[in-house]
Amino acid sequence: MAEQLEVKELDQVVVRFSGDSGDGMQLAGSIFSTVSASVGNGISTFPDYPADIRAPQGSLTGVSGFQVHIGEGRVYTPGDLCDVLVAMNAAALKTQYRYAKPQATIIIDTDSFGPNDLRKAEFQTDDYLAEMNIDPDRVVACPITKMVKDCLAESGLDNKAILKCRNMFALGLVCWLFNRDLGLVANFLREKFAKKPAIAENNIKVVQAGFDYGHNVHASVPATYRIESKDKIPGRYMDITGNKATAYGLIAAAEKAGLKLYLGSYPITPATDILHELSKHKSCGVITVQCEDEISGCASAVGAAFAGALAATSTSGPGICLKSEAINLAVIDELPLVVIDVQRGGPSTGLPTKSEQTDLLQALYGRNGESPMPVIAATSPTNCFDAVYMASKIALEHLTPVILLTDAFIANGSAAWKLPTMDELPEIHPHYVTEEQKYKYTPYVRDEKGVRYWAIPGQEGYTHILGGLEKDGKTGAISTNPENHHDMVIQRYAKIANIPVPDLEVEGDVEDAELLIVGFGSTYGHLYSAMQELQKKGHKVALAQFQYINPLPKNTAKVLKRYKKVVVAEQNLGQFRAYLRIRVNGFVPKKFNQVKGQPFVVSELVSAFEKIINE
């Protein structure tokens, strides 16, 4: 029997799985994060995959990565650098080692480091560890491919199918290293491959083999590790991506409002998973249509809104460009529509699998004419649920299209999410016509908040026409009257400006901060972590993260002008900073901008912010 290693307690750890794009690293990483979330650990994940549909096997451009940060409490980012790096081939080691800490444990499949593999990865010598200045004592070098073939020799699988199981051996080894319950892994695999039980059982067998290898050989590590959960709120938890949370939020909003949910969409990275997920839920009254293009996806959703559904359309930045005319129709018709923009790198096709915050001004102003729309930005994978729920509530209660900004980082990343009950969610009351308006209804008569009333086609006594031409505010007839047009423009603007949104909250050293960090949307976790690191260094720092962009919270100017030094950090060249300067008179903040297609690095934020503090 193998000698029992010491088990050390950790408060957090970062693991990065990497390999060829066909090596199943996303699946291995997602299983490990799901298992961690199910035992109450905080998690934050970052899938980092190539844009190539299928790059040449073993090439540097074809490497796929999945990074997961696990903690005993809440985790805010996927981590700057990893403590454990799994490199399934030479190209993965070559490209991913830069994401590892100097003392990181590195797990490699020695069967994928042959002369041909090293040549593809552009190594100059056979001594790849020395070439990369890696200490061999930190490397767990094991013949994963050979052991998987031996494990499944009697399975009846062909060689190609057997090689697809290599990721499960690496997963088993990582599960041994962190004392994970393989029963949870087995449950996940049996559920995922419910229609292919033989595949599930073979994968479970390989996971066990990886676990046993670590246990019996000790895999050149001094100890195994455990991350205990603390302060867990009772409830049902799951590991959820931002796209799946967005889909669930739409379903919940439709249920709460008593409406059918309609999604008109066209596949586009990184938003397609919303369409995929919603298409699974016809039993919840969800209607999904994969249209022939982005324009028809949005136009069909406008039609569904006119017909009385909670209508949504999902896309990324290039799709927003194409949808702009149909979105403008929803603006002038004042119909409830949720437009989801999962931002990616641009311009043009740009970086389809990478993440930016570069669509902000397009969301705010990217339409012809005066066309104001509410804009909300989700701050995390789990917050996507709340953000799209509130976008739906605003759309239905104020009769307006609403844009929700997420991005590839939080859409594909995941976190541990406590499932809410329907009773915990805010009420949604669509702004329907009243009984008193029957036979007297015109479409642009408004209530005291400036919101028009929603009549559903087919309701007797509420006949009306909507369209892209300007209408008379009183009669609903087409009108080119200058005074009427001016009045309608003002009313559409005022309706959006007066939508009530929560006040801007400040975290950290609220009363005496030397520096206020300002961000919006998905950068919350990195900016919050940077604030914490600066506080550990003795600095007084606060953070104000915006989720509601239009309208801005009523206390925005008061908060921003309260602090002597303010820095706006964003993943673009200063769009939010410029917008705040337009809306807050006399506000001239510092700036931190990066457009790399990657999440912020906390250590870089700390260094930049410290320089501003010390100026």
Side-chain angles (χ1 to χ4, degrees):
M1 181 179 292
E3 178 186 352
Q4 186 68 35
L5 286 178
E6 178 188 1
V7 179
K8 293 184 177 180
E9 296 284 346
L10 297 177
D11 57 3
Q12 60 180 335
V13 72
V14 178
V15 180
R16 189 176 183 94
F17 295 85
S18 63
D20 197 76
S21 56
D23 283 342
M25 293 296 95
Q26 306 296 323
L27 177 60
S30 64
I31 293 174
F32 186 67
S33 61
T34 297
V35 169
S36 301
S38 64
V39 297
N41 291 145
I43 66 165
S44 177
T45 71
F46 174 50
D48 189 15
Y49 50 92
D52 309 51
I53 293 176
R54 189 65 176 91
Q57 189 171 9
S59 65
L60 295 174
T61 58
V63 175
S64 177
F66 187 102
Q67 186 159 305
V68 55
H69 184 182
I70 302 164
E72 61 180 7
R74 186 175 178 186
V75 171
Y76 293 94
T77 77
D80 287 357
L81 300 172
C82 64
D83 302 284
V84 177
L85 172 64
V86 177
M88 296 297 286
N89 63 12
L93 182 65
K94 185 74 171 286
T95 60
Q96 305 297 297
Y97 181 65
R98 62 180 175 145
Y99 300 115
K101 294 177 181 177
Q103 69 276 19
T105 297
I106 301 168
I107 299 171
I108 66 172
D109 177 7
T110 54
D111 293 328
S112 297
F113 282 77
N116 192 44
D117 302 306
L118 296 175
R119 180 183 58 79
K120 287 182 180 178
E122 300 180 6
F123 280 100
Q124 303 303 310
T125 68
D126 290 340
D127 193 353
Y128 50 88
L129 295 181
E131 192 172 324
M132 296 190 68
N133 198 28
I134 298 174
D135 182 358
D137 290 339
R138 296 193 291 110
V139 178
V140 178
C142 49
I144 293 177
T145 299
K146 180 181 183 302
M147 287 188 285
V148 171
K149 287 182 177 180
D150 291 343
C151 178
L152 297 179
E154 306 299 326
S155 67
L157 296 175
D158 60 30
N159 188 62
K160 184 178 181 180
I162 288 174
L163 292 179
K164 285 185 176 181
C165 297
R166 294 164 60 244
N167 59 335
M168 293 297 102
F169 191 97
L171 174 62
L173 190 51
V174 173
C175 285
W176 164 77
L177 188 59
F178 293 102
N179 288 276
R180 290 307 187 203
D181 182 358
L182 292 194
L184 297 173
V185 178
N187 291 340
F188 182 99
L189 289 169
R190 288 188 178 113
E191 182 176 342
K192 180 173 180 60
F193 297 106
K195 296 181 180 179
K196 299 178 180 179
I199 297 294
E201 296 309 315
N202 283 320
N203 276 282
I204 292 168
K205 186 177 180 181
V206 175
V207 171
Q208 185 68 57
F211 189 95
D212 292 342
Y213 175 83
H215 178 73
N216 294 329
V217 182
H218 287 174
S220 307
V221 298
T224 62
Y225 306 95
R226 179 183 292 116
I227 303 168
E228 295 290 352
S229 303
K230 70 173 185 179
D231 302 328
K232 181 178 178 181
I233 301 172
R236 183 182 177 189
Y237 286 79
M238 66 180 292
D239 172 25
I240 195 168
T241 65
N243 275 341
K244 181 175 280 191
T246 301
Y248 287 2
L250 286 170
I251 295 171
E255 178 71 21
K256 200 74 170 182
L259 298 174
K260 293 264 189 190
L261 171 62
Y262 176 91
L263 179 81
S265 190
Y266 180 78
I268 183 171
T269 302
T272 308
D273 284 343
I274 298 171
L275 172 61
H276 288 169
E277 183 61 37
L278 285 175
S279 68
K280 301 174 184 177
H281 298 285
K282 294 181 177 65
S283 62
C284 297
V286 178
I287 302 167
T288 55
V289 177
Q290 180 178 318
C291 297
E292 64 268 27
D293 55 35
E294 295 282 5
I295 298 170
S296 56
C298 189
S300 70
V302 173
F306 178 70
L310 170 54
T313 187
S314 55
T315 189
S316 190
I320 293 292
C321 296
L322 293 165
K323 293 178 189 292
S324 62
E325 186 176 5
I327 293 172
N328 241 12
L329 178 60
V331 170
I332 198 168
D333 285 351
E334 299 185 54
L335 286 169
L337 173 68
V338 179
V339 181
I340 301 155
D341 178 6
V342 186
Q343 300 169 92
R344 70 187 204 184
S348 187
T349 311
L351 304 174
T353 63
K354 307 304 180 184
S355 185
E356 292 176 6
Q357 294 182 302
T358 43
D359 294 351
L360 177 62
L361 292 183
Q362 180 179 220
L364 289 165
Y365 302 118
R367 296 165 298 281
N368 69 293
E370 291 289 346
S371 51
M373 284 175 58
V375 177
I376 299 174
T379 59
S380 71
T382 57
N383 179 252
C384 287
F385 177 92
D386 301 298
V388 79
Y389 186 92
M390 292 308 297
S392 303
K393 178 178 171 67
I394 289 172
L396 293 168
E397 294 185 345
H398 296 270
L399 274 291
T400 178
V402 181
I403 288 185
L404 171 66
L405 295 176
T406 73
D407 56 43
F409 168 55
I410 58 173
N412 293 320
S414 65
W417 181 55
K418 179 180 176 291
L419 277 69
T421 65
M422 291 300 291
D423 290 341
E424 295 172 335
L425 299 175
E427 294 293 325
I428 297 179
H429 301 287
H431 199 252
Y432 290 126
V433 290
T434 65
E435 182 64 27
E436 291 74 24
Q437 293 173 310
K438 195 170 185 178
Y439 300 113
K440 297 180 292 184
Y441 172 72
T442 58
Y444 293 107
V445 171
R446 304 174 187 273
D447 69 3
E448 67 279 0
K449 297 177 182 177
V451 181
R452 78 174 194 90
Y453 295 87
W454 193 18
I456 309 304
Q459 282 184 281
E460 184 183 352
Y462 300 95
T463 304
H464 65 288
I465 297 174
L466 300 179
L469 293 172
E470 184 66 279
K471 304 294 192 302
D472 185 280
K474 294 184 175 62
T475 68
I478 293 173
S479 172
T480 58
N481 180 277
E483 285 72 26
N484 175 77
H485 177 58
H486 177 79
D487 186 53
M488 291 293 279
V489 168
I490 294 297
Q491 289 189 61
R492 286 190 288 264
Y493 176 85
K495 181 181 75 168
I496 304 305
N498 292 326
I499 292 173
V501 299
D503 275 352
L504 177 63
E505 293 185 5
V506 181
E507 300 177 270
D509 299 302
V510 178
E511 300 299 328
D512 56 353
E514 307 167 76
L515 176 70
L516 174 68
I517 303 167
V518 172
F520 78 94
S522 64
T523 57
Y524 171 75
H526 292 83
L527 298 181
Y528 186 89
S529 297
M531 178 189 74
Q532 288 183 315
E533 292 301 314
L534 287 165
Q535 289 174 324
K536 290 176 185 177
K537 290 187 168 192
H539 296 293
K540 297 286 189 179
V541 187
L543 170 65
Q545 190 78 7
F546 283 81
Q547 181 171 9
Y548 293 89
I549 310 297
N550 189 39
L552 288 167
K554 299 296 184 187
N555 65 334
T556 295
K558 181 179 179 181
V559 168
L560 296 182
K561 290 187 171 184
R562 178 177 178 178
Y563 300 93
K564 185 175 181 181
K565 290 183 178 180
V566 181
V567 59
V568 179
E570 50 190 317
Q571 291 179 306
N572 55 50
L573 294 183
Q575 295 183 22
F576 189 51
R577 178 178 181 269
Y579 176 65
L580 289 174
R581 291 193 64 185
I582 292 172
R583 292 302 182 91
V584 181
N585 189 36
F587 178 58
V588 186
K590 304 286 185 180
K591 60 181 179 179
F592 180 88
N593 306 108
Q594 284 186 349
V595 197
K596 297 181 176 181
Q598 296 285 330
F600 282 144
V601 175
V602 173
S603 59
E604 293 178 0
L605 292 171
V606 170
S607 177
F609 296 162
E610 200 163 29
K611 287 180 182 178
I612 294 173
I613 291 172
N614 293 329
E615 284 177 353

